[in-house]
Amino acid sequence: MIARIAATLVALAVPLPATADIDIQEVTSPGGIDAWLVEDDSIPFVALEFWFIGGSGLDPAEARGATYLMTGLLEEGAADMDAQAFAAAQEALATSFVVDSFRDAIVVSAQMLTQNRDAAADLLRAALVEPRFDADAIERTRGQVISIIESNERDPSDIATTTFNRLAYGDHPYGTTQEGTVEVVSRLTREDIVAAYRATLTRDRVVVGAAGDITPEELGLLIDRILGDLPAEAPPRPGPAEFGLEGGVTVVDFPTPQASVFFGHAGIARDDPDFFAAFVLNQVLGGGGFRSRLMEQVRVERGLTYGIGTFLSLADLSPTLLGQFSSSNDLVAQAIEVVQAEWADLAENGITQDELDAAIRYMTGEYPLRFDGNATIAGILAAMQSDDMPVEYIENRNAYVEAVTLEDVRRVAARLLRPEDLHFVVVGRPEGLSPGN
């Protein structure tokens, strides 16, 4: 649904050393917009990332899906350019813009050559400040969104996730899909789209990451050039999303030989003092691929699935600990029992020293590899700001992981892992499980 221009600049992304020793400069534009910059003039290229905090979670209930539809239109014409003229202008400048919608943010990623930077910035400004929302573009993009919704409604994995969120969050925006429903999207008007645009793209909720061939002074001026004419303030965000799902199993009948399972319970916030211990714990539980307990017990030992994983979801308004896997209908009930047993064992007994050492070794070793180019770095810088992380986080992150002790993980496992609260949504026709379990 969101048009993605061919990434002509991907090859220009500059890999950094594996030490992840990067110099982050804090910048405030003349207009008062904050940004973080990693300056590198080794090639004439810069990557920018703008995160507008709020995202599709700002949609009113009666217009759920308006923000998702709106973001798909930001590359479909701006100012005096229709969709074709806008695409041609991007191609002529060898620049790339991508706009993505999430429930907590709208993310705008841009890559441009130094020699075309001012013209590329003006084009991006036009997309963000002067979108056209032409009738033909609306109908074309609406059709694409409806196709996505209908496809998701036939996908067992998407059904499982959507059902879990609806049961957990009810009427809160977290309880619905950001794409909306066919019924609602079909009746969204241009006025609804304009309202979503005005509510989400504002200067008070934007954070900026930048990496590449640009100085702090140039970046400040460029930010104001692109964003300075956006509205100053956004409407209030929704309140906290209370996780209202108790332990148990929900079965959604669906004709498929392979049942899809989505499961979890309330989690832990990033700013919690125990977060890094929980981070390491999840690596051992289900975040470490073939090194994890669940993969070992559910796949390797018993052959109940091809893969299973867990992750700490750090959604702004409701952190959770979640997992997912698929299994044949005749084996899925047994797989759920194994997950519950491993959850309970870790909660009671924690992890071993060998597991702790392996998790820390992997987590500290792979971290520097994430900083593999300007576009990636710009995204990391924006994400850090959106989570209110300090500028020193990258320098200190591995030390935080290495400081986690066996006792820390055991204590946090007893606090965080609650097998009695685990809820499983199973989409399929599982044997031994029935709707309402």
Side-chain angles (χ1 to χ4, degrees):
M1 104 74 164
I2 296 176
R4 289 184 177 269
I5 302 299
T8 57
L9 302 177
V10 168
L12 297 178
V14 181
L16 273 83
T19 59
D21 292 332
I22 62 177
D23 180 21
I24 301 174
Q25 301 179 71
E26 298 180 79
V27 177
T28 299
S29 76
I33 298 175
D34 294 329
W36 288 2
L37 166 66
V38 172
E39 187 177 355
D40 185 343
D41 61 2
S42 61
I43 59 171
F45 161 76
V46 65
L48 303 172
E49 188 127 341
F50 305 102
W51 284 38
F52 294 89
I53 308 305
S56 62
L58 293 172
D59 281 343
E62 67 276 8
R64 187 68 169 148
T67 295
Y68 188 81
L69 177 57
M70 181 273 296
T71 55
L73 289 161
L74 292 178
E75 298 172 75
E76 295 292 327
D80 61 352
M81 296 169 285
D82 62 13
Q84 288 184 333
F86 187 85
Q90 286 194 79
E91 184 175 356
L93 292 170
T95 188
S96 171
F97 306 148
V98 176
V99 185
D100 285 315
S101 173
F102 302 97
R103 61 184 180 180
D104 287 328
I106 292 173
V107 176
V108 180
S109 305
Q111 302 176 45
M112 56 193 70
L113 296 170
T114 302
Q115 67 187 52
N116 296 334
R117 191 169 64 203
D118 288 346
D122 288 342
L123 189 63
L124 180 56
R125 177 203 172 276
L128 299 180
V129 177
E130 302 178 83
R132 289 168 64 103
F133 302 134
D134 290 333
D136 61 336
I138 291 174
E139 293 312 311
R140 181 173 60 252
T141 307
R142 189 199 309 272
Q144 294 170 353
V145 173
I146 289 174
S147 178
I148 290 172
I149 295 170
E150 291 175 338
S151 176
N152 291 345
E153 289 175 345
R154 298 188 298 269
D155 185 298
S157 179
D158 280 309
I159 295 170
T161 304
T162 299
T163 301
F164 185 94
N165 289 335
R166 175 174 53 79
L167 294 173
Y169 298 115
D171 293 334
H172 191 278
Y174 277 15
T176 58
T177 64
Q178 67 163 348
E179 297 89 350
T181 65
V182 171
E183 178 184 4
V184 172
V185 172
S186 296
R187 67 169 184 257
L188 289 174
T189 66
R190 187 179 188 279
E191 288 70 26
D192 293 323
I193 294 167
V194 171
Y197 162 74
R198 290 174 175 165
T200 53
L201 298 186
T202 61
R203 298 197 308 274
D204 64 327
R205 291 241 182 92
V206 68
V207 295
V208 182
D213 182 27
I214 191 168
T215 67
E217 294 76 18
E218 291 169 337
L219 177 61
L221 295 173
L222 195 72
I223 289 171
D224 285 349
R225 184 171 188 155
I226 296 170
L227 305 178
D229 292 327
L230 286 175
E233 297 182 354
R237 297 184 68 185
E242 298 296 333
F243 188 89
L245 191 54
E246 298 179 348
V249 178
T250 297
V251 176
V252 180
D253 182 69
F254 193 82
T256 176
Q258 190 86 355
S260 291
V261 183
F262 194 86
F263 62 94
H265 58 49
I268 187 169
R270 187 187 290 276
D271 60 359
D272 191 292
D274 284 333
F275 171 76
F276 277 96
F279 195 20
V280 173
L281 170 64
N282 179 68
Q283 179 73 12
V284 175
L285 170 64
F290 278 95
R291 295 170 296 275
S292 73
R293 285 270 192 102
L294 290 181
M295 185 71 88
E296 175 69 23
Q297 294 301 318
V298 181
R299 173 180 169 158
V300 177
E301 292 293 326
R302 296 173 175 82
L304 302 176
T305 183
Y306 284 109
I308 182 170
T310 61
F311 58 99
L312 291 167
S313 172
L314 301 176
D316 289 355
L317 306 178
S318 180
T320 45
L321 175 56
L322 304 172
Q324 54 191 352
F325 67 91
S326 296
S327 184
S328 61
N329 283 317
D330 61 327
L331 297 177
V332 67
Q334 184 183 350
I336 288 174
E337 290 178 358
V338 176
V339 172
Q340 292 170 321
E342 286 303 310
W343 221 267
D345 180 69
L346 274 173
E348 181 177 355
N349 301 312
I351 67 175
T352 68
Q353 186 66 50
D354 286 346
E355 287 174 322
L356 175 65
D357 292 343
I360 290 176
R361 187 164 53 249
Y362 174 80
M363 295 170 72
T364 55
E366 63 83 27
Y367 184 64
L369 303 180
R370 301 181 189 181
F371 300 85
D372 62 353
N374 288 336
T376 304
I377 293 169
I380 290 172
L381 298 183
M384 287 172 59
Q385 293 171 81
S386 76
D387 285 332
D388 295 321
M389 299 168 75
V391 73
E392 302 85 8
Y393 175 83
I394 292 175
E395 177 183 352
N396 297 328
R397 183 269 194 186
N398 275 357
Y400 297 148
V401 174
E402 292 168 339
V404 173
T405 67
L406 193 62
E407 180 54 38
D408 290 334
V409 178
R410 288 176 174 170
R411 171 175 48 79
V412 172
R415 170 193 166 189
L416 178 62
L417 301 180
R418 298 186 293 278
E420 70 280 2
D421 289 342
L422 269 179
H423 196 99
F424 297 81
V425 173
V426 183
V427 179
R429 289 180 174 168
E431 297 178 14
L433 299 172
S434 59
N437 279 16

PDB file of all heavy atoms in Angstrom, residues 277 280-281 284 351-363 401-409:
ATOM      1  N   ALA A 277      17.627  -7.205  32.781  1.00  0.00           N
ATOM      2  CA  ALA A 277      17.520  -8.588  33.236  1.00  0.00           C
ATOM      3  C   ALA A 277      16.404  -9.306  32.482  1.00  0.00           C
ATOM      4  O   ALA A 277      16.549 -10.477  32.101  1.00  0.00           O
ATOM      5  CB  ALA A 277      17.265  -8.634  34.737  1.00  0.00           C
ATOM      6  N   VAL A 280      17.658 -10.139  28.918  1.00  0.00           N
ATOM      7  CA  VAL A 280      18.475 -11.348  28.895  1.00  0.00           C
ATOM      8  C   VAL A 280      17.601 -12.579  29.104  1.00  0.00           C
ATOM      9  O   VAL A 280      17.781 -13.614  28.437  1.00  0.00           O
ATOM     10  CB  VAL A 280      19.585 -11.263  29.957  1.00  0.00           C
ATOM     11  CG1 VAL A 280      20.342 -12.590  30.051  1.00  0.00           C
ATOM     12  CG2 VAL A 280      20.551 -10.120  29.648  1.00  0.00           C
ATOM     13  N   LEU A 281      16.661 -12.498  30.020  1.00  0.00           N
ATOM     14  CA  LEU A 281      15.743 -13.612  30.268  1.00  0.00           C
ATOM     15  C   LEU A 281      15.007 -14.021  28.999  1.00  0.00           C
ATOM     16  O   LEU A 281      14.903 -15.215  28.674  1.00  0.00           O
ATOM     17  CB  LEU A 281      14.739 -13.221  31.354  1.00  0.00           C
ATOM     18  CG  LEU A 281      13.560 -14.167  31.575  1.00  0.00           C
ATOM     19  CD1 LEU A 281      14.036 -15.520  32.077  1.00  0.00           C
ATOM     20  CD2 LEU A 281      12.556 -13.544  32.545  1.00  0.00           C
ATOM     21  N   VAL A 284      16.992 -16.113  26.573  1.00  0.00           N
ATOM     22  CA  VAL A 284      17.068 -17.525  26.939  1.00  0.00           C
ATOM     23  C   VAL A 284      15.731 -18.215  26.722  1.00  0.00           C
ATOM     24  O   VAL A 284      15.671 -19.350  26.232  1.00  0.00           O
ATOM     25  CB  VAL A 284      17.515 -17.673  28.411  1.00  0.00           C
ATOM     26  CG1 VAL A 284      17.486 -19.151  28.842  1.00  0.00           C
ATOM     27  CG2 VAL A 284      18.909 -17.080  28.615  1.00  0.00           C
ATOM     28  N   ILE A 351      17.411 -19.386  35.216  1.00  0.00           N
ATOM     29  CA  ILE A 351      18.264 -19.939  34.164  1.00  0.00           C
ATOM     30  C   ILE A 351      19.575 -20.407  34.772  1.00  0.00           C
ATOM     31  O   ILE A 351      19.868 -20.149  35.941  1.00  0.00           O
ATOM     32  CB  ILE A 351      18.514 -18.912  33.048  1.00  0.00           C
ATOM     33  CG1 ILE A 351      19.358 -17.737  33.561  1.00  0.00           C
ATOM     34  CG2 ILE A 351      17.191 -18.401  32.488  1.00  0.00           C
ATOM     35  CD1 ILE A 351      19.743 -16.736  32.494  1.00  0.00           C
ATOM     36  N   THR A 352      20.365 -21.073  33.968  1.00  0.00           N
ATOM     37  CA  THR A 352      21.664 -21.547  34.438  1.00  0.00           C
ATOM     38  C   THR A 352      22.755 -20.532  34.114  1.00  0.00           C
ATOM     39  O   THR A 352      22.568 -19.633  33.294  1.00  0.00           O
ATOM     40  CB  THR A 352      22.025 -22.885  33.777  1.00  0.00           C
ATOM     41  OG1 THR A 352      22.261 -22.660  32.381  1.00  0.00           O
ATOM     42  CG2 THR A 352      20.902 -23.902  33.954  1.00  0.00           C
ATOM     43  N   GLN A 353      23.908 -20.717  34.765  1.00  0.00           N
ATOM     44  CA  GLN A 353      25.034 -19.826  34.485  1.00  0.00           C
ATOM     45  C   GLN A 353      25.487 -19.956  33.041  1.00  0.00           C
ATOM     46  O   GLN A 353      25.840 -18.962  32.390  1.00  0.00           O
ATOM     47  CB  GLN A 353      26.199 -20.139  35.426  1.00  0.00           C
ATOM     48  CG  GLN A 353      27.365 -19.165  35.302  1.00  0.00           C
ATOM     49  CD  GLN A 353      27.004 -17.755  35.756  1.00  0.00           C
ATOM     50  OE1 GLN A 353      26.451 -17.574  36.845  1.00  0.00           O
ATOM     51  NE2 GLN A 353      27.295 -16.751  34.927  1.00  0.00           N
ATOM     52  N   ASP A 354      25.476 -21.170  32.510  1.00  0.00           N
ATOM     53  CA  ASP A 354      25.869 -21.361  31.108  1.00  0.00           C
ATOM     54  C   ASP A 354      24.920 -20.619  30.174  1.00  0.00           C
ATOM     55  O   ASP A 354      25.353 -20.021  29.185  1.00  0.00           O
ATOM     56  CB  ASP A 354      25.888 -22.850  30.763  1.00  0.00           C
ATOM     57  CG  ASP A 354      27.085 -23.569  31.358  1.00  0.00           C
ATOM     58  OD1 ASP A 354      28.036 -22.884  31.803  1.00  0.00           O
ATOM     59  OD2 ASP A 354      27.066 -24.820  31.391  1.00  0.00           O
ATOM     60  N   GLU A 355      23.617 -20.675  30.469  1.00  0.00           N
ATOM     61  CA  GLU A 355      22.641 -19.955  29.638  1.00  0.00           C
ATOM     62  C   GLU A 355      22.857 -18.453  29.728  1.00  0.00           C
ATOM     63  O   GLU A 355      22.775 -17.745  28.711  1.00  0.00           O
ATOM     64  CB  GLU A 355      21.219 -20.317  30.065  1.00  0.00           C
ATOM     65  CG  GLU A 355      20.793 -21.716  29.667  1.00  0.00           C
ATOM     66  CD  GLU A 355      19.441 -22.088  30.224  1.00  0.00           C
ATOM     67  OE1 GLU A 355      19.136 -21.706  31.387  1.00  0.00           O
ATOM     68  OE2 GLU A 355      18.671 -22.767  29.523  1.00  0.00           O
ATOM     69  N   LEU A 356      23.128 -17.963  30.919  1.00  0.00           N
ATOM     70  CA  LEU A 356      23.387 -16.531  31.088  1.00  0.00           C
ATOM     71  C   LEU A 356      24.618 -16.111  30.300  1.00  0.00           C
ATOM     72  O   LEU A 356      24.596 -15.109  29.568  1.00  0.00           O
ATOM     73  CB  LEU A 356      23.576 -16.204  32.571  1.00  0.00           C
ATOM     74  CG  LEU A 356      23.968 -14.752  32.885  1.00  0.00           C
ATOM     75  CD1 LEU A 356      22.847 -13.796  32.510  1.00  0.00           C
ATOM     76  CD2 LEU A 356      24.338 -14.596  34.355  1.00  0.00           C
ATOM     77  N   ASP A 357      25.691 -16.865  30.417  1.00  0.00           N
ATOM     78  CA  ASP A 357      26.928 -16.511  29.730  1.00  0.00           C
ATOM     79  C   ASP A 357      26.734 -16.516  28.218  1.00  0.00           C
ATOM     80  O   ASP A 357      27.211 -15.606  27.515  1.00  0.00           O
ATOM     81  CB  ASP A 357      28.038 -17.499  30.115  1.00  0.00           C
ATOM     82  CG  ASP A 357      28.457 -17.378  31.575  1.00  0.00           C
ATOM     83  OD1 ASP A 357      28.144 -16.349  32.197  1.00  0.00           O
ATOM     84  OD2 ASP A 357      29.081 -18.331  32.079  1.00  0.00           O
ATOM     85  N   ALA A 358      26.023 -17.526  27.709  1.00  0.00           N
ATOM     86  CA  ALA A 358      25.801 -17.613  26.257  1.00  0.00           C
ATOM     87  C   ALA A 358      24.936 -16.461  25.767  1.00  0.00           C
ATOM     88  O   ALA A 358      25.189 -15.893  24.693  1.00  0.00           O
ATOM     89  CB  ALA A 358      25.150 -18.950  25.917  1.00  0.00           C
ATOM     90  N   ALA A 359      23.910 -16.113  26.546  1.00  0.00           N
ATOM     91  CA  ALA A 359      23.024 -15.018  26.148  1.00  0.00           C
ATOM     92  C   ALA A 359      23.772 -13.694  26.112  1.00  0.00           C
ATOM     93  O   ALA A 359      23.656 -12.922  25.146  1.00  0.00           O
ATOM     94  CB  ALA A 359      21.842 -14.931  27.108  1.00  0.00           C
ATOM     95  N   ILE A 360      24.561 -13.420  27.142  1.00  0.00           N
ATOM     96  CA  ILE A 360      25.304 -12.163  27.189  1.00  0.00           C
ATOM     97  C   ILE A 360      26.338 -12.115  26.073  1.00  0.00           C
ATOM     98  O   ILE A 360      26.520 -11.069  25.410  1.00  0.00           O
ATOM     99  CB  ILE A 360      25.971 -11.980  28.568  1.00  0.00           C
ATOM    100  CG1 ILE A 360      24.890 -11.718  29.636  1.00  0.00           C
ATOM    101  CG2 ILE A 360      26.984 -10.843  28.538  1.00  0.00           C
ATOM    102  CD1 ILE A 360      25.434 -11.610  31.046  1.00  0.00           C
ATOM    103  N   ARG A 361      27.005 -13.225  25.824  1.00  0.00           N
ATOM    104  CA  ARG A 361      28.014 -13.262  24.767  1.00  0.00           C
ATOM    105  C   ARG A 361      27.388 -12.948  23.406  1.00  0.00           C
ATOM    106  O   ARG A 361      27.942 -12.166  22.614  1.00  0.00           O
ATOM    107  CB  ARG A 361      28.669 -14.644  24.750  1.00  0.00           C
ATOM    108  CG  ARG A 361      29.851 -14.764  23.818  1.00  0.00           C
ATOM    109  CD  ARG A 361      30.683 -16.001  24.135  1.00  0.00           C
ATOM    110  NE  ARG A 361      29.880 -17.214  24.159  1.00  0.00           N
ATOM    111  CZ  ARG A 361      29.606 -17.925  25.251  1.00  0.00           C
ATOM    112  NH1 ARG A 361      30.075 -17.524  26.444  1.00  0.00           N
ATOM    113  NH2 ARG A 361      28.885 -19.021  25.187  1.00  0.00           N
ATOM    114  N   TYR A 362      26.228 -13.531  23.140  1.00  0.00           N
ATOM    115  CA  TYR A 362      25.571 -13.274  21.860  1.00  0.00           C
ATOM    116  C   TYR A 362      25.051 -11.838  21.786  1.00  0.00           C
ATOM    117  O   TYR A 362      25.260 -11.149  20.773  1.00  0.00           O
ATOM    118  CB  TYR A 362      24.407 -14.244  21.653  1.00  0.00           C
ATOM    119  CG  TYR A 362      23.605 -13.936  20.408  1.00  0.00           C
ATOM    120  CD1 TYR A 362      24.059 -14.335  19.159  1.00  0.00           C
ATOM    121  CD2 TYR A 362      22.425 -13.198  20.476  1.00  0.00           C
ATOM    122  CE1 TYR A 362      23.358 -14.022  18.002  1.00  0.00           C
ATOM    123  CE2 TYR A 362      21.714 -12.877  19.332  1.00  0.00           C
ATOM    124  CZ  TYR A 362      22.177 -13.296  18.106  1.00  0.00           C
ATOM    125  OH  TYR A 362      21.485 -12.967  16.973  1.00  0.00           O
ATOM    126  N   MET A 363      24.381 -11.383  22.827  1.00  0.00           N
ATOM    127  CA  MET A 363      23.750 -10.067  22.787  1.00  0.00           C
ATOM    128  C   MET A 363      24.767  -8.941  22.673  1.00  0.00           C
ATOM    129  O   MET A 363      24.521  -7.935  22.008  1.00  0.00           O
ATOM    130  CB  MET A 363      22.869  -9.883  24.027  1.00  0.00           C
ATOM    131  CG  MET A 363      21.681 -10.837  24.071  1.00  0.00           C
ATOM    132  SD  MET A 363      20.814 -10.832  25.664  1.00  0.00           S
ATOM    133  CE  MET A 363      20.013  -9.236  25.609  1.00  0.00           C
ATOM    134  N   VAL A 401      24.098  -4.868  29.656  1.00  0.00           N
ATOM    135  CA  VAL A 401      23.826  -6.294  29.478  1.00  0.00           C
ATOM    136  C   VAL A 401      24.802  -7.128  30.304  1.00  0.00           C
ATOM    137  O   VAL A 401      24.411  -8.080  30.999  1.00  0.00           O
ATOM    138  CB  VAL A 401      23.913  -6.679  27.991  1.00  0.00           C
ATOM    139  CG1 VAL A 401      23.772  -8.186  27.809  1.00  0.00           C
ATOM    140  CG2 VAL A 401      22.826  -5.956  27.193  1.00  0.00           C
ATOM    141  N   GLU A 402      26.085  -6.778  30.245  1.00  0.00           N
ATOM    142  CA  GLU A 402      27.108  -7.538  30.962  1.00  0.00           C
ATOM    143  C   GLU A 402      26.952  -7.450  32.471  1.00  0.00           C
ATOM    144  O   GLU A 402      27.413  -8.347  33.202  1.00  0.00           O
ATOM    145  CB  GLU A 402      28.489  -7.040  30.553  1.00  0.00           C
ATOM    146  CG  GLU A 402      28.847  -7.368  29.110  1.00  0.00           C
ATOM    147  CD  GLU A 402      30.084  -6.639  28.629  1.00  0.00           C
ATOM    148  OE1 GLU A 402      30.436  -5.602  29.227  1.00  0.00           O
ATOM    149  OE2 GLU A 402      30.686  -7.102  27.645  1.00  0.00           O
ATOM    150  N   ALA A 403      26.284  -6.413  32.954  1.00  0.00           N
ATOM    151  CA  ALA A 403      26.099  -6.253  34.399  1.00  0.00           C
ATOM    152  C   ALA A 403      24.997  -7.149  34.958  1.00  0.00           C
ATOM    153  O   ALA A 403      24.867  -7.294  36.180  1.00  0.00           O
ATOM    154  CB  ALA A 403      25.782  -4.791  34.716  1.00  0.00           C
ATOM    155  N   VAL A 404      24.200  -7.757  34.094  1.00  0.00           N
ATOM    156  CA  VAL A 404      23.113  -8.617  34.560  1.00  0.00           C
ATOM    157  C   VAL A 404      23.695  -9.875  35.192  1.00  0.00           C
ATOM    158  O   VAL A 404      24.538 -10.554  34.600  1.00  0.00           O
ATOM    159  CB  VAL A 404      22.183  -8.985  33.389  1.00  0.00           C
ATOM    160  CG1 VAL A 404      21.142 -10.016  33.832  1.00  0.00           C
ATOM    161  CG2 VAL A 404      21.487  -7.733  32.858  1.00  0.00           C
ATOM    162  N   THR A 405      23.233 -10.194  36.392  1.00  0.00           N
ATOM    163  CA  THR A 405      23.713 -11.372  37.106  1.00  0.00           C
ATOM    164  C   THR A 405      22.678 -12.484  37.070  1.00  0.00           C
ATOM    165  O   THR A 405      21.518 -12.278  36.716  1.00  0.00           O
ATOM    166  CB  THR A 405      24.010 -11.039  38.576  1.00  0.00           C
ATOM    167  OG1 THR A 405      22.771 -10.725  39.247  1.00  0.00           O
ATOM    168  CG2 THR A 405      24.961  -9.840  38.682  1.00  0.00           C
ATOM    169  N   LEU A 406      23.136 -13.677  37.451  1.00  0.00           N
ATOM    170  CA  LEU A 406      22.235 -14.821  37.506  1.00  0.00           C
ATOM    171  C   LEU A 406      21.103 -14.552  38.484  1.00  0.00           C
ATOM    172  O   LEU A 406      19.939 -14.884  38.221  1.00  0.00           O
ATOM    173  CB  LEU A 406      23.020 -16.066  37.921  1.00  0.00           C
ATOM    174  CG  LEU A 406      22.314 -17.411  37.741  1.00  0.00           C
ATOM    175  CD1 LEU A 406      21.988 -17.660  36.274  1.00  0.00           C
ATOM    176  CD2 LEU A 406      23.192 -18.533  38.293  1.00  0.00           C
ATOM    177  N   GLU A 407      21.418 -13.929  39.599  1.00  0.00           N
ATOM    178  CA  GLU A 407      20.378 -13.616  40.584  1.00  0.00           C
ATOM    179  C   GLU A 407      19.389 -12.592  40.035  1.00  0.00           C
ATOM    180  O   GLU A 407      18.185 -12.674  40.291  1.00  0.00           O
ATOM    181  CB  GLU A 407      21.025 -13.089  41.869  1.00  0.00           C
ATOM    182  CG  GLU A 407      20.022 -12.727  42.967  1.00  0.00           C
ATOM    183  CD  GLU A 407      19.065 -13.863  43.297  1.00  0.00           C
ATOM    184  OE1 GLU A 407      19.503 -15.034  43.304  1.00  0.00           O
ATOM    185  OE2 GLU A 407      17.863 -13.573  43.532  1.00  0.00           O
ATOM    186  N   ASP A 408      19.877 -11.617  39.257  1.00  0.00           N
ATOM    187  CA  ASP A 408      18.970 -10.648  38.633  1.00  0.00           C
ATOM    188  C   ASP A 408      17.947 -11.364  37.754  1.00  0.00           C
ATOM    189  O   ASP A 408      16.746 -11.083  37.830  1.00  0.00           O
ATOM    190  CB  ASP A 408      19.767  -9.666  37.762  1.00  0.00           C
ATOM    191  CG  ASP A 408      20.620  -8.707  38.557  1.00  0.00           C
ATOM    192  OD1 ASP A 408      20.281  -8.438  39.723  1.00  0.00           O
ATOM    193  OD2 ASP A 408      21.638  -8.236  38.006  1.00  0.00           O
ATOM    194  N   VAL A 409      18.421 -12.266  36.909  1.00  0.00           N
ATOM    195  CA  VAL A 409      17.516 -12.944  35.983  1.00  0.00           C
ATOM    196  C   VAL A 409      16.543 -13.830  36.740  1.00  0.00           C
ATOM    197  O   VAL A 409      15.352 -13.882  36.412  1.00  0.00           O
ATOM    198  CB  VAL A 409      18.309 -13.766  34.944  1.00  0.00           C
ATOM    199  CG1 VAL A 409      17.360 -14.502  34.013  1.00  0.00           C
ATOM    200  CG2 VAL A 409      19.225 -12.853  34.140  1.00  0.00           C
TER     201      VAL A 409
END
